[in-house]
Amino acid sequence: MSPTLIRALGLACVAAVTGTTRAAAQSPAGFVAGVVTDSMGNPLAGATVGALGTNAAARSDERGEFRVVGLAPGEVLLEARRLGFRPETLRVSVAEAGTVVRFALRLSPTVLEAVAVKGRRQFPSRLAGYYERLYSRTQGYFITRDDIDRGNPRQLTDVLRRAPGVEIYRGSRVRLRGRACAPLVWIDGVSMPAGEVELNTFAPTSLEGIEIYMTASGAPGRYQSTGDESRCGTILLWSRGRDTEDRRAPIMSAAERLEQLHSAGEVFTAAEVETEARPSDLARLAVAYPPDLFSVGVGGLVVAEFVVDTMGRVEPQTFSVVSSPHLLFSHAVYAAVESAGFFPAVRAGRPTRQIVQMRFRFNPPGGR
């Protein structure tokens, strides 16, 4: 290769690199991040947030969080919108280091009236006894799954040391109220051998709940030892399993798919039909109150959306939770809606597919 050609190629490479650098320097580097909630403060999934007059946009995730990138520093008009909610706009100043904003969208008046879900003292499943005692709380100290997961503990002793009266010695030895001997440990109703049990062999993420009883007589009758093994207290461990995990699997949002169907004219909103789709029998829309949340007095409002077809049936693949204070509430609503019957919507005198939004208000015992 000649020296002249080498010099020409070198100059071309320098020019290309310089051009790329200039283009990168000129490209928008600012972004806006934040969260979208409903008027109750619950995260709103599937909302579209975009800068008006640009193609920059993002969709909120199940936590209501979003991040719009590629914005030039300066003022922009940001809009958040979602089917079934009134859109909201904010004028924000975009900075290269990022700008944080918060949207709170209000429900449109076409959302169906809320279905009241009242908890009953029924705790089916292998954890029924645990839930019953958790609800009653007559004796003992309880650590729920949400308590266990808080702070992402690495070892079980990290969880147990939060409980009053629990002391940890030599890294992993657990003692209740300063007693010199080890407590009796049960796992899913089966007692472990008397003596020291290495509790850190149980990963915190494998447990659904924990009960701690400081005295031998304080534990439930069936967990009181006939000998003196429980004289130094009792710890009951309850594991997670398929019966707990199936109810906690993420529910994928169908918001984008619904918007595509709506834009294509394949489904309609309540405001676009002559007669709205409505439940054929609210009394038969049985929503089970999650025992985990009922037992600790947690309530809240769930907003769900789905398509009701021309036969009055729910299309399960279109189900989505718009906002919810807890994943267990979301699954309870899905289980009830999936088999519910509706009167179909009517448009131009004929049954049609409609996007339905329903509210489910979970009222905890005692109105707490």
Side-chain angles (χ1 to χ4, degrees), residues 1-13:
M1 187 178 294
S2 68
T4 303
L5 182 56
I6 291 174
R7 283 196 299 273
L9 289 174
L11 290 173
C13 291

Short mmCIF file of all heavy atoms in Angstrom, two decimals, residues 1-13:
data_model
loop_
_atom_site.label_atom_id
_atom_site.label_comp_id
_atom_site.label_asym_id
_atom_site.label_seq_id
_atom_site.Cartn_x
_atom_site.Cartn_y
_atom_site.Cartn_z
N MET A 1 0.86 -1.19 0.00
CA MET A 1 0.00 0.00 0.00
C MET A 1 0.90 1.24 0.00
O MET A 1 1.85 1.34 0.77
CB MET A 1 -0.91 0.01 1.23
CG MET A 1 -1.95 1.13 1.21
SD MET A 1 -3.05 1.03 2.66
CE MET A 1 -3.90 -0.50 2.33
N SER A 2 0.57 2.22 -0.87
CA SER A 2 1.41 3.40 -1.01
C SER A 2 1.27 4.32 0.18
O SER A 2 0.21 4.36 0.82
CB SER A 2 1.05 4.16 -2.29
OG SER A 2 -0.24 4.73 -2.17
N PRO A 3 2.35 5.13 0.49
CA PRO A 3 2.28 6.10 1.59
C PRO A 3 1.16 7.09 1.41
O PRO A 3 0.51 7.51 2.38
CB PRO A 3 3.66 6.76 1.55
CG PRO A 3 4.56 5.76 0.89
CD PRO A 3 3.70 5.06 -0.12
N THR A 4 0.89 7.47 0.18
CA THR A 4 -0.19 8.45 -0.08
C THR A 4 -1.55 7.88 0.31
O THR A 4 -2.38 8.54 0.94
CB THR A 4 -0.20 8.84 -1.57
OG1 THR A 4 1.08 9.36 -1.93
CG2 THR A 4 -1.29 9.88 -1.85
N LEU A 5 -1.76 6.59 -0.05
CA LEU A 5 -3.05 5.96 0.27
C LEU A 5 -3.21 5.78 1.77
O LEU A 5 -4.28 5.97 2.34
CB LEU A 5 -3.13 4.60 -0.44
CG LEU A 5 -4.44 3.81 -0.23
CD1 LEU A 5 -5.64 4.66 -0.67
CD2 LEU A 5 -4.39 2.50 -1.00
N ILE A 6 -2.10 5.46 2.46
CA ILE A 6 -2.16 5.28 3.91
C ILE A 6 -2.53 6.59 4.59
O ILE A 6 -3.36 6.63 5.49
CB ILE A 6 -0.79 4.78 4.44
CG1 ILE A 6 -0.54 3.34 3.95
CG2 ILE A 6 -0.74 4.85 5.96
CD1 ILE A 6 0.83 2.80 4.31
N ARG A 7 -1.90 7.71 4.11
CA ARG A 7 -2.22 9.01 4.70
C ARG A 7 -3.69 9.38 4.46
O ARG A 7 -4.38 9.91 5.32
CB ARG A 7 -1.31 10.08 4.10
CG ARG A 7 0.11 10.07 4.66
CD ARG A 7 0.83 11.38 4.33
NE ARG A 7 0.95 11.58 2.89
CZ ARG A 7 1.96 11.10 2.15
NH1 ARG A 7 2.93 10.41 2.73
NH2 ARG A 7 2.01 11.33 0.86
N ALA A 8 -4.21 9.04 3.27
CA ALA A 8 -5.62 9.34 2.94
C ALA A 8 -6.57 8.57 3.84
O ALA A 8 -7.57 9.10 4.35
CB ALA A 8 -5.89 9.02 1.47
N LEU A 9 -6.25 7.29 4.04
CA LEU A 9 -7.10 6.48 4.93
C LEU A 9 -7.04 6.99 6.35
O LEU A 9 -8.05 7.01 7.07
CB LEU A 9 -6.66 5.02 4.88
CG LEU A 9 -6.96 4.26 3.57
CD1 LEU A 9 -6.33 2.87 3.60
CD2 LEU A 9 -8.47 4.16 3.36
N GLY A 10 -5.87 7.41 6.80
CA GLY A 10 -5.73 7.94 8.16
C GLY A 10 -6.55 9.18 8.34
O GLY A 10 -7.24 9.35 9.36
N LEU A 11 -6.51 10.09 7.36
CA LEU A 11 -7.32 11.32 7.45
C LEU A 11 -8.80 11.00 7.46
O LEU A 11 -9.59 11.62 8.17
CB LEU A 11 -6.97 12.24 6.27
CG LEU A 11 -5.58 12.89 6.31
CD1 LEU A 11 -5.30 13.63 5.01
CD2 LEU A 11 -5.47 13.83 7.50
N ALA A 12 -9.21 9.99 6.68
CA ALA A 12 -10.63 9.61 6.63
C ALA A 12 -11.08 9.07 7.97
O ALA A 12 -12.18 9.36 8.45
CB ALA A 12 -10.84 8.57 5.53
N CYS A 13 -10.23 8.26 8.63
CA CYS A 13 -10.58 7.71 9.94
C CYS A 13 -10.72 8.80 10.98
O CYS A 13 -11.63 8.81 11.80
CB CYS A 13 -9.52 6.69 10.39
SG CYS A 13 -9.52 5.17 9.42
#
